[in-house]
Amino acid sequence: MNEEIRFAAMLMDTWSDLQSPSVLWQLGALVGCLLLAWLIERAMLERVARRSDAETAAQRFGRSGLRRVLFPLSALIFVFAARAVLGKYQSVHLLNLAVPLLTSFAAIRFVVFTVRQGIGRSSWLGSFERVFASLAWAVVALHILGWLPEVIDALESVSFKIGSQKLSLWTLLQGVGMVMFTLLIALWAAGALERRLSGAAGLDDSMRLVLMRVAKALLIVVAVLIALPMVGIDLTTLSVFGGALGVGLGFGLQKIAANYVSGFIILLDHSLRIGNLISVGAERGVVTQINTRYTVLRAASGIESLVPNETLIGSVVQNETYSDTRIVVPINIQVSYATDLERAMQILVEAAKTHERVIAEPEPKAFVVAFGESGVDLRLAVWIADPQEGTLGVISHINLEVWKRFRAEGIEIPYPQREVRVVRGEAALAQAVAAAAAED
């Protein structure tokens, strides 16, 4: 009660100052304090950013926390100094009012930032942090200024009915604020659980990912179910909307739901893991991410493909590193019919052993595949243990080595050729030649 009386007196004194021309000195001092604080914030952050390359987690936390509170704390220090100077010559009630506003602003931003650090890193959390901190500070500022009861009355005057329950704009805003608050707590608990699971020994990565996602989803649902009744919103009034949402999910969002279910199945049955080299349809690449809706494949060219999880469940997937990372790489080479085939096959095997990625077991082997139109088709089969690194480099190195050794030993790699035979008789051919000579 004494605190409210003190704030009321401060507001009355500030209002009396606003009626006096001397308030311009306070306004100028306040604007100058805010400008100096902004310049200090920019200079300090630029200086810290130059040292952020090799910083530890604690240093990164300190730098990020400093960025949140540097502006309000710097402004607060300058306001204290300006109040001490101007207080000798005139009243400084406006600057007195700025002190609790800046203090609450710094405290709220730092507290929300600390809670966010416990949740983890995400692209949307930055915007969520700013919105929640701004809303919390707005409520505190209205309370300090004494305008909060009037604002609440104005919001409660705007009301409407949903079913049998009457809701006001203030109730809805309370629900939004409470949901945001409980979501922060739920996400913080999910972040703590994620850190515990990350440090758990003997737990499979896929199972860890499933547990983290299921736990986060359950915590969010529980947070919403707790927050809405706390502000007087009856959850039974939302049953109609829940039924409509269920129908919409059943018809319009069935593909998305199928992808989410398929994502959990993939994570649970361990059919795909991060780092597997797979082929599905026309796509081939290394699995870099398994999300709840899609899986990311990175091809050897660097192009990333987003494959819906439903496609991975309902199609034939070639997993080249499912149980064994060793795969065979076939290399086809053609030699002329005059070639010593046994020597050519020996050269192929020797050339394959010169590459460091070709493993010794199974050993490289050469085969006679077919007798072609231009030469004999040979095939070299080599085994590698790291298919995710690509096969083009291995094939290129072996082909180059084979070409050098074939040239050194005179083994011919034939050009495409055709043999044409004349089937007419010799007498007819002689007559045709004589006729052509006579014409000439």
Side-chain angles (χ1 to χ4, degrees), residues 117-174:
Q117 293 303 306
I119 295 174
R121 292 189 175 186
S122 183
S123 56
W124 61 271
L125 277 177
S127 302
F128 184 81
E129 175 192 353
R130 288 189 292 270
V131 171
F132 187 79
S134 300
L135 290 176
W137 182 75
V139 173
V140 173
L142 290 173
H143 174 70
I144 292 175
L145 295 174
W147 299 342
L148 186 59
E150 288 78 5
V151 173
I152 293 176
D153 292 339
L155 293 176
E156 285 184 339
S157 63
V158 181
S159 60
F160 49 90
K161 274 193 173 185
I162 298 180
S164 60
Q165 186 175 15
K166 184 178 180 181
L167 297 177
S168 65
L169 191 57
W170 171 242
T171 304
L172 292 179
L173 290 178
Q174 278 185 301

Side-chain angles (χ1 to χ4, degrees), residues 239-257:
S239 58
V240 177
F241 298 99
L245 181 61
V247 174
L249 286 174
F251 288 98
L253 303 178
Q254 56 181 343
K255 288 290 185 182
I256 297 177

Side-chain angles (χ1 to χ4, degrees), residues 389-402:
E389 300 296 331
T391 59
L392 185 59
V394 177
I395 296 173
S396 175
H397 174 88
I398 295 176
N399 279 336
L400 183 60
E401 189 67 24
V402 169

Side-chain angles (χ1 to χ4, degrees), residues 1 55 191 274 325 341 395:
M1 189 67 180
E55 62 182 2
I274 303 296
T325 60
L341 295 182
I395 296 173

Side-chain angles (χ1 to χ4, degrees), residues 60-372:
R60 191 182 306 112
F61 175 82
R63 178 172 60 86
S64 300
L66 179 65
R67 187 174 61 200
R68 266 69 174 183
V69 300
L70 184 59
F71 172 75
L73 288 183
S74 301
L76 188 61
I77 293 173
F78 287 125
V79 166
F80 275 124
R83 188 176 66 172
V85 174
L86 287 179
K88 297 179 179 179
Y89 308 100
Q90 66 176 64
S91 59
V92 287
H93 297 113
L94 181 61
L95 297 180
N96 290 336
L97 184 61
V99 170
L101 291 175
L102 291 172
T103 304
S104 60
F105 183 56
I108 290 173
R109 291 201 68 181
F110 186 76
V111 169
V112 175
F113 164 73
T114 305
V115 174
R116 179 195 167 189
Q117 293 303 306
I119 295 174
R121 292 189 175 186
S122 183
S123 56
W124 61 271
L125 277 177
S127 302
F128 184 81
E129 175 192 353
R130 288 189 292 270
V131 171
F132 187 79
S134 300
L135 290 176
W137 182 75
V139 173
V140 173
L142 290 173
H143 174 70
I144 292 175
L145 295 174
W147 299 342
L148 186 59
E150 288 78 5
V151 173
I152 293 176
D153 292 339
L155 293 176
E156 285 184 339
S157 63
V158 181
S159 60
F160 49 90
K161 274 193 173 185
I162 298 180
S164 60
Q165 186 175 15
K166 184 178 180 181
L167 297 177
S168 65
L169 191 57
W170 171 242
T171 304
L172 292 179
L173 290 178
Q174 278 185 301
V176 171
M178 187 60 66
V179 167
M180 293 176 68
F181 178 72
T182 53
L183 279 179
L184 276 178
I185 297 177
L187 292 174
W188 176 82
L193 180 61
E194 181 178 351
R195 288 189 294 272
R196 292 291 298 272
L197 290 175
S198 299
L203 191 61
D204 186 78
D205 291 338
S206 299
M207 183 59 65
R208 183 184 293 113
L209 191 59
V210 170
L211 291 176
M212 288 189 299
R213 289 178 178 172
V214 170
K216 181 178 290 188
L218 289 177
L219 287 171
I220 290 175
V221 171
V222 170
V224 174
L225 294 178
I226 292 176
L228 295 180
M230 288 178 65
V231 295
I233 298 178
D234 189 3
L235 294 179
T236 58
T237 60
L238 303 178
S239 58
V240 177
F241 298 99
L245 181 61
V247 174
L249 286 174
F251 288 98
L253 303 178
Q254 56 181 343
K255 288 290 185 182
I256 297 177
N259 285 324
Y260 274 94
V261 173
S262 300
F264 281 107
I265 293 175
I266 291 172
L267 292 172
L268 286 172
D269 64 6
H270 310 298
S271 58
L272 295 180
R273 292 184 176 88
I274 303 296
N276 284 162
L277 178 63
I278 68 171
S279 299
V280 51
E283 308 299 332
R284 180 176 183 270
V286 178
V287 178
T288 57
Q289 296 180 37
I290 303 177
N291 298 313
T292 49
R293 189 178 65 85
Y294 59 86
T295 296
V296 181
L297 302 184
R298 183 177 180 84
S301 61
I303 299 175
E304 293 183 326
S305 302
L306 307 182
V307 181
N309 290 329
E310 185 186 14
T311 303
L312 298 175
I313 292 295
S315 305
V316 176
V317 178
Q318 294 183 349
N319 193 336
E320 301 179 23
T321 55
Y322 179 64
S323 59
D324 191 351
T325 60
R326 298 177 300 174
I327 66 168
V328 64
V329 179
I331 302 175
N332 298 318
I333 297 175
Q334 192 176 69
V335 296
S336 66
Y337 279 98
T339 303
D340 182 355
L341 295 182
E342 293 183 352
R343 177 57 184 159
M345 295 167 66
Q346 183 181 359
I347 291 175
L348 293 181
V349 173
E350 293 174 355
K353 293 180 179 179
T354 61
H355 198 280
E356 64 275 4
R357 289 180 58 192
V358 175
I359 60 177
E361 185 63 33
E363 62 180 2
K365 291 183 179 181
F367 305 91
V368 177
V369 178
F371 298 101

